[in-house]
Amino acid sequence: MLEIKVLGPGCANCRKLEELVLEALATTGIEAEVLKVTSMDEILAHDVLRTPGLVIGGKLVSSGRIPTTATIAEWIRAA
């Protein structure tokens, strides 16, 4: 199963990114485990200097911004 991590301390942008990830998953029909990562040590381990960060399938795909649902869906399909 695909693993998706939303990296951030729990700010409004982090919550928004999580919502968009769930919307993107619904449009693709792909099953994935979505994890919220709030530990600064783990966030920094992914080389994220600005949150929110998004890791799909172990690969950092976004940092410091909120991508569109369509973009997230493309990343999910490509993973």
Side-chain angles (χ1 to χ4, degrees), residues 19-34:
E19 286 177 28
L20 295 177
V21 166
L22 295 174
E23 287 176 20
L25 284 170
T27 64
T28 63
I30 295 172
E31 288 188 33
E33 180 180 14
V34 180

Side-chain angles (χ1 to χ4, degrees), residues 6 16 18 27-28 31-32 45 69:
V6 178
K16 179 64 176 174
E18 183 181 19
T27 64
T28 63
E31 288 188 33
T69 305

Side-chain angles (χ1 to χ4, degrees), residues 17-61:
L17 180 57
E18 183 181 19
E19 286 177 28
L20 295 177
V21 166
L22 295 174
E23 287 176 20
L25 284 170
T27 64
T28 63
I30 295 172
E31 288 188 33
E33 180 180 14
V34 180
L35 304 170
K36 286 187 75 169
V37 177
T38 57
S39 163
M40 285 309 291
D41 290 336
E42 190 170 347
I43 292 169
L44 292 173
H46 287 285
D47 293 328
V48 172
L49 299 178
R50 293 182 59 211
T51 59
L54 183 62
V55 175
I56 299 176
K59 179 182 175 190
L60 180 67
V61 294

